[in-house]
Amino acid sequence: MIASLGGVVTSSVRVGDDASTTADALGLTSAVGAPACHQRDLIVTTGGTGDSRADHVRALLRDAGADFLVDGVDVRPGGPALLARLPDGRLFVGLPGNPLAALLSVLTLVHPVLAGLQGLELPALRPAVLASPVDGVRSGTVLRPYRSVHDPDSATPHAEPTPWHGAAMLRGLADADGVLVCPGSGAAAGGLVPSLDLPW
């Protein structure tokens, strides 16, 4: 996905839910043999952005003196995502650990950051007519993958929201044509809502 958005992945490291190992991998310590994340424009992590005892990313960033530019997003799924600037100027995007939440956060945070670093414009939101309602959630915005469906009574394709929209579910995104951007209160069938094209 990073490559499809114009980025170049220079390294990839897997670490467990351990604060010290995570700090070493991010280059926040001077441990011997730690993978160097310096000389990078952007660091992207997945997981560890929540509030449990196994989630260390926010605390490590605070301890390192990072400036939180986006400390959580009022959206579901993907609320625990964050954007920060490290003291040495590197940008940092922390994605949630759940797969759908992480991938939708690529759209809402990683894509805009990479576009900005490359001097590119983001694609415009497109209007979509809902074929089925989208239920409300306790959040400012609902992101819902959808498939385009033909409505015999309309010349405009309609958007069928996926029923598989839990933060850990990838099935709905796997065959999606785009992502609906609905108000947290929900939206009725036949309503017009903004949508994002998938960049991959």
Side-chain angles (χ1 to χ4, degrees):
M1 288 184 187
I2 297 293
S4 74
L5 297 173
V8 177
V9 178
T10 57
S11 64
S12 178
V13 179
R14 294 186 182 186
V15 298
D17 290 327
D18 175 79
S20 176
T21 306
T22 301
D24 291 347
L26 296 177
L28 300 178
T29 65
S30 57
V32 176
C37 286
H38 299 289
Q39 308 304 320
R40 310 290 188 260
D41 293 317
L42 175 65
I43 299 170
V44 179
T45 63
T46 306
T49 59
D51 296 320
S52 78
R53 287 184 294 178
D55 295 319
H56 307 293
V57 172
R58 274 187 167 78
L60 289 172
L61 291 173
R62 280 193 291 269
D63 291 346
D67 180 18
F68 284 80
L69 306 175
V70 177
D71 191 3
V73 183
D74 193 11
V75 65
R76 286 206 178 180
L82 65 91
L83 170 63
R85 187 185 304 278
L86 297 176
D88 61 11
R90 291 175 294 161
L91 289 173
F92 179 100
V93 175
L95 305 176
N98 278 315
L100 182 60
L103 295 181
L104 293 178
S105 296
V106 168
L107 294 177
T108 60
L109 284 179
V110 176
H111 190 186
V113 169
L114 286 175
L117 289 172
Q118 299 170 86
L120 302 175
E121 292 187 8
L122 288 170
L125 294 173
R126 293 189 303 110
V129 179
L130 289 176
S132 299
V134 172
D135 294 334
V137 296
R138 294 189 305 272
S139 173
T141 303
V142 180
L143 297 180
R144 182 69 53 84
Y146 75 88
R147 293 198 68 185
S148 294
V149 294
H150 176 67
D151 184 332
D153 298 324
S154 173
T156 305
H158 282 44
E160 183 62 57
T162 180
W164 301 286
H165 54 82
M169 298 179 176
L170 284 180
R171 181 175 177 181
L173 189 61
D175 64 352
D177 294 312
V179 175
L180 300 167
V181 184
C182 298
S185 56
L192 199 64
V193 298
S195 71
L196 286 165
D197 290 330
L198 296 177
W200 51 79

